[in-house]
Each structure stands twice: as C-alpha cells, then as structure tokens.
Amino acid sequence: MKEVKNFINGVYETSSRQFDKTSPLTGEVIARVHEADRAQVNAAVLSAKAALNGPWGALSVDERVEKLYAVVDGINARFDAFLEAECADTGKPRSLASRIDIPRGAANFRIFADIIKNEATQAFQMNTPDGAGALNYADRSPVGVIGVVCPWNLPLLLMTWKVGPALACGNTVVVKPSEESPQTAALLGEVMNEAGIPPGVYNVVHGFGPDSAGEFLTTHPGVSAITFTGETRTGEAIMKAAAKGARPVSMEMGGKNAAIIFADADFDAAIEGTVRSAFSNCGQVCLGTERVYVERPLFERFVVAMKDRAQAMKIGVPEDADTDMGPLISQEHQKKVLSYYRLAVEEGATVVTGGGIPDLDPKYGGGSWIQPTIWTGLPEHARVIKEEIFGPCCHIAPFDTEEEVLAMANDNEYGLCTAIWTRDLARAHRVAHRMQVGLAWVNSWFLRDLRTPFGGAKQSGIGREGGVHSLEFYTELKNVCIKL
Ligand code: NAD
C-alpha cells in the first residue's frame, strides 16, 4: 500500500494517525495518508520560519529565481510521476491532466520567477521647503510564512499557483493539500530537495479541516498570511482564524457561473465552449458554467446541440485516450451532486439528459461516477439555479433582452466568472463591464494569461492573484523616503 507522508524541513515524516485515500474510479483504498498532528504542524511552521530567517532569506532575487527554474525542470523531468499521482487521486483523464494540470503546475514557478525578476516598484520625487527635495521609492520584502490551504479539483495547479509566487517573493510555505488529493503536493517535496531549495522553505502537512491540520495551520500564530482556495463556507471559517493576529488572507472561493449566448454568436464555438465549461473535469472547475442563458431565437437549437454533445461524452478511466470525463472526486461528493439532481426534479426541472449514474462495468461499481446532466424549465429562484453544485451539470434558460439576462446572471451571491458569446463587439464590452464577476471571457472560456488578475467578486473571493497582483499579497510593500 502506498504511503503519503508529511514533508517537514526537507524530510518525509510519518504520523501516528493515518487516513485512507480511496480511488474515485473504484472506491478502493489506494494510499494511507499520514495525518499531521498539532506538533507536526508546529514543527513545519517553525522550520519555515527558520528557513525564512536563514538560507532562503539570504538569497538574492537572482539566486532564488534560478532555484525556482530548477523546480520547473524538476517537475518536467518527473512529468509522468506527477501525471500518475494526479490521475490516481482525482480520476481525471490523462489527456486533461497532461495538457493542463501538470504543465501549468510547472509553469506557475516560471511565470512568477520571471515577474519578480522584472517587476519595478514605484518611485516619486517630491519638493521640500528647503529646495533639496526628497526621493520616495517602494521596497518589497517577503511577508513571512504563508499558510497555503488547497482544494482537490486541480491539486497541483492550484497549489503551485500560490506556492510559485510565495517562494518567488522570498516567503516560505506550509501547504495543507486537500485530504482527497494529497499525492502531488507530497511528490513536489522530492523535486524541491533535488532543486536545492533549502529545507523548511516548502513544507506539506496532510489532514482535514476542523480539529486537524487545516485548523492547526490557519490558527498557528507563526503563520503570517493565509491563501486559500475552496468553498466559501470554509473560507469564512479560515477568515475567522486569520482575524486573530489580523493576518491578511487571499481567498479564491465558490462560483455559480453564467454563460450568456446571444443570437448572433458563432453557434458552433458557443456550443464547444459551453460543453467544455460545463463538463470539463467532471464539472469540478471553479470557473465552470452551471447556468446557461441563451437568446430565445437560438434556445431550442442550443439545447438540442448541448444534449447531443453531453450524450456523446465518453465516460471512462484516465488512461483511455478517448475518455472525455472521469468520475467525481469521492462518493461523498457524488452524494451531494446526486442530491441536487433529485432536487432539480423536485423543483420542476425538465431533465434534458442525464440525472443519474452511468452504466459501467461492475468493477467500477464503487466509484463516484455521474452522468453529465442538463435541465431546462426551472424558475430563477430555484436552489439548483442559486447554489454551487460542482458537478457536470447546467441549466439552460431562454432570454429576450440584454437587460433581462444581465439581471438574471447577476442575481447570485457568487461572482467568479462569466462567458459571453456574441459577434457584437460593443455589446461584448458592455455586458462584460456590467457583469459582477472577477473574470469575463468573450467568445472563449478558461483562456488564461497568467500575468492577468485572477479572483472573484462577491462571495467568490477576496483579493486578486496572478501577475503583479500576486506580488501585492505575497510581499510587504514599504515606502522608503530619502531626504536629499
Ligand atoms: P473545501 O472548502 O471543502 O476544502 C478546501 C481545503 O480547506 C481543504 O484542504 C480542506 O481540508 C480545508 N479545510 C476545510 N475546513 C477547514 C477549516 N475549518 N480550516 C482550515 N482548512 C479547512 O473545498 P473543496 O471541496 O476542496 O473544493 C471545492 C470548492 O473549491 C468549490 O467551492 C470550488 O468552487 C472552490 N474552488 C474555487 C476556486 C477559485 O479559484 N475561486 C478554484 C478551485 C476551487
């Protein structure tokens, strides 16, 4: 049986308690994960602090950047091992993880190394009464030990999206991966050691949230700032923990994203993009679309095309090259998604396709498989329209005017992203501007330039990461005023 250990001060550590990691494909136990206790989390934070005040803090930016490039090379050199670990934990298709999760996981170290090397800070010259003047400039220093709390849907990618900039800015980290996806964070420890990253710079503690490693880490007074990706309710609990000591937080949280398809859209492109945004990664993408609004002249045709595409999806195991969709992450999550499938019917939805568990070989009977599902006919106040489901499902509703669709799309407590499909450029600008979201795509979805701001409006997040925006969170900006 595979054992997944904590990584503390450059060394793999076992714990007295372990928990099972089960395969989303079969429900079988695939690994025993060592659950860090309070003392181990404390040791991880103290080693991170020692590295900050020691070898890591002593490096110049150029030296730090070179080491991060070595991490990129190290991930790429072990590409297949990362791919296997990520697919085993999540059940996602290899075709997806090899294109997105692993290469982006590596790229996150390169992009932030490049940014910290090249980004200037502001300077202002000012007049003074004696005529000699003064010079102000902003100076960046690391914030300290960063607590990094991660979800399971894009484990390596979302973790390195935080660890990359944190380390580039000179901080050290203690990572708490999701209990559902512990393997790639642990594996990255080996790469860190091989790349010559000093012990204590990158630490991993495994476990759960309350009364486990998540809580021990976020309540630890030695953690200077906390970056979190996950559910909004969890984010609220972490914000409470961060309030003690007035520690800054960066929060990337839930979504209930709307796609808006105008009648003048490129139909095939809109279908292609909406199929991807609704069903990729079995619908477990924070940026995924669960609400689709289609201008009435296109509505019937759009629903039929979406249905055809959903029914043609090949549900299967990661290693099959033609697999479009794997299972959900766990049986617990499958229960949650199925409860929404039932609720949709109770709330009066027409089930266009799906709504249950697919027929698969009995050997996958213990897995957390689910059908891609499409509904129509729900009122806008239905819970299925309002709440994040995080499964491969969407509701499609018609609209008649731009004002009407803006009102419906914005009537939600979340505000992560939107995808707008139209050939009318003026309308694209107008609607993108009026959508209450952090990210608006026009005629695309999940097209990411890592230099751009990423984050959510309303209950989808606090703060922006990406490009120089990450530097705002991961560095302390100090004004130095020199009287000339
Ligand atoms: P989750 O909130 O259940 O768990 C996230 C992490 O928080 C896990 O590591 C978990 O162990 C930890 N945790 C739970 N309770 C905690 C506590 N009290 N203190 C400290 N840590 C705690 O989220 P999930 O189910 O892993 O991920 C799915 C959610 O993540 C969805 O809501 C999705 O929208 C969101 N998400 C958002 C983004 C984004 O960029 N906005 C990206 C990916 C996922």
Side-chain angles (χ1 to χ4, degrees):
M1 177 68 58
K2 186 162 193 169
E3 288 191 49
V4 185
K5 298 176 188 162
N6 303 291
F7 184 70
I8 299 171
N9 205 24
V11 176
Y12 284 96
E13 277 197 15
T14 58
S15 305
S16 54
R17 257 173 41 175
Q18 294 104 42
F19 60 92
D20 290 339
K21 164 61 195 160
T22 56
S23 165
L25 308 174
T26 60
E28 288 163 3
V29 178
I30 53 169
R32 297 283 294 156
V33 187
H34 289 262
E35 182 182 355
D37 58 23
R38 200 183 279 277
Q40 286 179 307
V41 173
N42 183 47
V45 174
L46 294 184
S47 78
K49 195 130 213 151
L52 185 77
N53 298 325
W56 190 241
L59 295 184
S60 68
V61 171
D62 282 352
E63 289 167 330
R64 223 159 56 212
V65 161
E66 284 309 314
K67 291 210 182 293
L68 295 180
Y69 289 155
V71 172
V72 178
D73 294 341
I75 296 174
N76 288 331
R78 287 163 166 260
F79 194 93
D80 289 345
F82 277 99
L83 188 60
E84 195 184 317
E86 203 74 311
C87 292
D89 273 356
T90 61
K92 65 175 70 188
R94 268 171 188 252
S95 55
L96 182 71
S98 62
R99 201 164 31 84
I100 309 266
D101 299 65
I102 313 304
R104 268 285 306 278
N108 284 337
F109 286 99
R110 185 183 305 283
I111 179 101
F112 291 106
D114 288 344
I115 286 170
I116 199 72
K117 206 164 68 168
N118 295 309
E119 184 58 23
T121 53
Q122 280 187 321
F124 292 100
Q125 293 183 37
M126 66 186 283
N127 295 326
T128 52
D130 64 2
L135 171 67
N136 294 273
Y137 69 91
D139 173 59
R140 288 192 190 280
S141 41
V143 175
V145 177
I146 311 286
V148 181
V149 183
C150 305
W152 45 257
N153 59 330
L154 298 156
L156 182 72
L157 187 160
L158 291 174
M159 186 262 288
T160 56
W161 175 244
K162 296 165 179 303
V163 172
L167 299 193
C169 292
N171 304 282
T172 56
V173 297
V174 180
V175 175
K176 212 299 277 171
S178 167
E179 53 275 31
E180 299 289 356
S181 56
Q183 292 198 55
T184 45
L187 184 56
L188 188 59
E190 291 183 25
V191 170
M192 292 286 175
N193 282 348
E194 287 159 7
I197 302 287
V201 172
Y202 173 81
N203 303 275
V204 180
V205 290
H206 296 293
F208 304 85
D211 202 26
S212 182
E215 185 185 315
F216 303 152
L217 178 61
T218 52
T219 54
H220 196 295
V223 171
S224 303
I226 300 167
T227 176
F228 166 75
T229 300
E231 284 185 19
T232 299
R233 298 290 92 82
T234 311
E236 289 172 355
I238 290 178
M239 284 177 75
K240 280 190 192 141
K244 179 94 180 133
R247 294 166 304 154
V249 292
S250 174
M251 300 264 137
E252 296 183 344
M253 302 189 286
K256 185 73 182 178
N257 308 304
I260 303 176
I261 293 97
F262 288 96
D264 67 351
D266 176 335
F267 185 84
D268 292 341
I271 288 289
E272 189 62 41
T274 310
V275 165
R276 267 199 324 120
S277 70
F279 304 132
S280 283
N281 206 34
C282 201
Q284 303 164 116
V285 181
C286 53
L287 306 166
T289 299
E290 291 189 358
R291 298 181 292 149
V292 183
Y293 298 100
V294 184
E295 202 167 359
R296 200 171 300 273
L298 271 195
F299 178 72
E300 299 295 340
R301 199 177 142 215
F302 198 91
V303 172
V304 170
M306 285 290 291
K307 173 184 174 183
D308 291 347
R309 290 292 301 270
Q311 290 180 344
M313 294 199 84
K314 168 92 191 328
I315 299 175
V317 293
E319 44 282 3
D320 284 354
D322 59 351
T323 293
D324 296 310
M325 210 179 93
L328 293 165
I329 187 70
S330 63
Q331 290 182 348
E332 188 189 339
H333 191 50
Q334 186 199 41
K335 272 195 206 106
K336 176 185 160 186
V337 174
L338 282 173
S339 76
Y340 277 102
Y341 283 14
R342 281 192 299 275
L343 179 65
V345 174
E346 285 160 28
E347 288 186 314
T350 299
V351 182
V352 175
T353 186
I357 296 174
D359 276 335
L360 291 172
D361 188 315
K363 71 179 173 194
Y364 298 118
S368 36
W369 304 90
I370 194 94
Q371 286 179 323
T373 295
I374 298 172
W375 305 287
T376 56
L378 282 173
E380 279 299 300
H381 63 260
R383 280 181 52 204
V384 167
I385 302 279
K386 293 291 179 219
E387 298 173 14
E388 181 183 51
I389 300 170
F390 220 54
C393 53
C394 63
H395 178 263
I396 312 180
F399 70 89
D400 293 300
T401 68
E402 191 177 305
E403 281 306 316
E404 180 196 10
V405 76
L406 273 165
M408 291 193 292
N410 278 330
D411 185 16
N412 198 274
E413 63 189 22
Y414 294 111
L416 188 53
C417 73
T418 187
I420 302 157
W421 299 85
T422 177
R423 286 192 171 98
D424 180 338
L425 196 55
R427 176 156 58 196
H429 281 295
R430 206 166 50 230
V431 174
H433 180 69
R434 290 186 60 192
M435 280 298 292
Q436 297 160 1
V437 292
L439 301 137
W441 277 287
V442 175
N443 297 331
S444 65
W445 175 75
F446 208 159
L447 185 57
R448 290 278 301 128
D449 180 326
L450 304 184
R451 296 167 298 184
T452 60
F454 181 95
K458 303 197 267 188
Q459 291 188 27
S460 289
I462 296 178
R464 294 291 180 271
E465 297 195 18
V468 295
H469 307 280
S470 292
L471 306 192
E472 300 309 318
F473 181 71
Y474 293 107
T475 61
E476 203 62 74
L477 204 54
K478 178 192 302 156
N479 186 62
V480 180
C481 178
I482 302 177
K483 173 75 175 66
L484 301 175

